[in-house]
Amino acid sequence: MTARIGTALVGGYVLASAVATLIARLLPVDRAEATSWGMILSFLVYAIAALWSFHGPRVMRVMLGIWGGSAAIGLALALLGVRP
């Protein structure tokens, strides 16, 4: 249960912030608008990640999905670099 709670709280936050940053980086609109869209959608991502962490039947699959997704998005952001 501790792994599920930690994954829901910390992992969900990391995944939501990574998704928000990726959306803000990839949207072809003004930076302020892209950042706003990323922040708005991050609340949805955080809620989905938290619900999935308690609903998933296998905790390792949930942890791999949330932490692995966060790592993959972080790697993609590192490869993309800063927005020109």
Side-chain angles (χ1 to χ4, degrees):
M1 192 58 144
T2 305
R4 289 186 186 270
I5 292 171
T7 300
L9 292 178
V10 180
Y13 178 79
V14 171
L15 181 65
S17 64
V19 168
T21 306
L22 185 67
I23 289 171
R25 173 67 175 87
L26 291 180
L27 280 180
V29 294
D30 185 42
R31 286 186 185 185
E33 189 175 348
T35 302
S36 296
W37 275 108
M39 291 175 65
I40 290 168
L41 292 176
S42 71
F43 289 105
L44 179 64
V45 171
Y46 185 71
I48 290 171
L51 288 173
W52 183 41
S53 66
F54 290 109
H55 181 69
R58 296 186 182 188
V59 68
M60 289 307 292
R61 183 180 298 168
V62 171
M63 290 176 66
L64 180 65
I66 292 177
W67 290 107
S70 300
I73 293 172
L75 178 65
L77 287 168
L79 291 175
L80 283 173
V82 295
R83 187 173 180 176

